[in-house]
């Protein structure tokens, strides 16, 4: 059994999280500049077995998709072309950035660390993946 990866896609950065090989626990992996996401993924997939990728779906309170959704759909299309053997799932990422900021603030990190957007993106990806795993178990 391979890992499941989550991508919190953004125009500047992508937060990445992965499961363990048993697909039980989600852990933050990295935050990668969006312009190098595919070179990062190629290297990671060459060294690890990944069965599926969960890509966050940005939805507002009214259920409308965010403007970044167009970019995400382009990312998914290119991803599926480059990695046809890896399943792609979408998962509602509503509130994950706010929850990530809250959890980071509760961890006792200093103000500079709490405002580190790359840390927030990585924690957001972890929350997306953990929520996906919990829903999958139901």
């Amino acid at each position: 059994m391979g890992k499941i990866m989550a991508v919190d896609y953004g125009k500047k950065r992508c937060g990445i999280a992965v499961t363990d090989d048993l697909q039980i626990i989600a852990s933050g992996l990295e935050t990668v500049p969006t312009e190098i996401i595919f070179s990062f993924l190629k290297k990671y997939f060459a060294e690890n077995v990944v069965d599926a990728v969960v890509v966050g779906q940005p939805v507002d309170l009214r259920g409308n998709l965010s403007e970044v959704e167009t970019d995400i759909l382009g990312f998914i299309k290119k991803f599926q072309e480059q990695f046809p053997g890896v399943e792609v799932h979408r998962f509602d990422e509503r509130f994950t950035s706010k929850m990530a900021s809250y959890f980071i603030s509760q961890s006792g990190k200093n103000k500079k660390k709490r405002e580190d957007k790359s840390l927030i993106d990585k924690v957001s990806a972890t929350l997306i993946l953990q929520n996906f795993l919990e829903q999958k178990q139901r």
Side-chain angles (χ1 to χ4, degrees), residues 3 11 26 66-67 76 115-116 120 135:
K3 300 173 189 297
K11 291 185 179 194
S66 167
E67 64 185 49
I76 291 171
E115 293 174 352
D116 179 358
I120 291 169
Q135 183 179 6

Side-chain angles (χ1 to χ4, degrees), residues 62-125:
R62 293 186 175 147
N64 301 316
L65 293 171
S66 167
E67 64 185 49
V68 76
E69 179 67 11
T70 303
D71 296 319
I72 294 171
L73 292 174
F75 164 76
I76 291 171
K77 183 175 189 233
K78 188 173 178 181
F79 180 91
Q80 290 174 321
E81 289 167 359
Q82 291 194 21
F83 309 105
V86 180
E87 279 184 72
V88 176
H89 302 277
R90 299 300 304 275
F91 197 82
D92 184 349
E93 66 175 56
R94 208 176 320 203
F95 304 120
T96 56
S97 292
K98 294 232 183 288
M99 289 170 54
S101 294
Y102 173 76
F103 291 138
I104 292 166
S105 73
Q106 295 302 302
S107 72
K109 301 276 187 209
N110 64 34
K111 184 175 181 181
K112 186 174 181 184
K113 239 347 186 184
R114 289 193 311 259
E115 293 174 352
D116 179 358
K117 292 189 185 303
S118 65
L119 178 59
I120 291 169
D121 292 338
K122 182 168 59 172
V123 173
S124 292

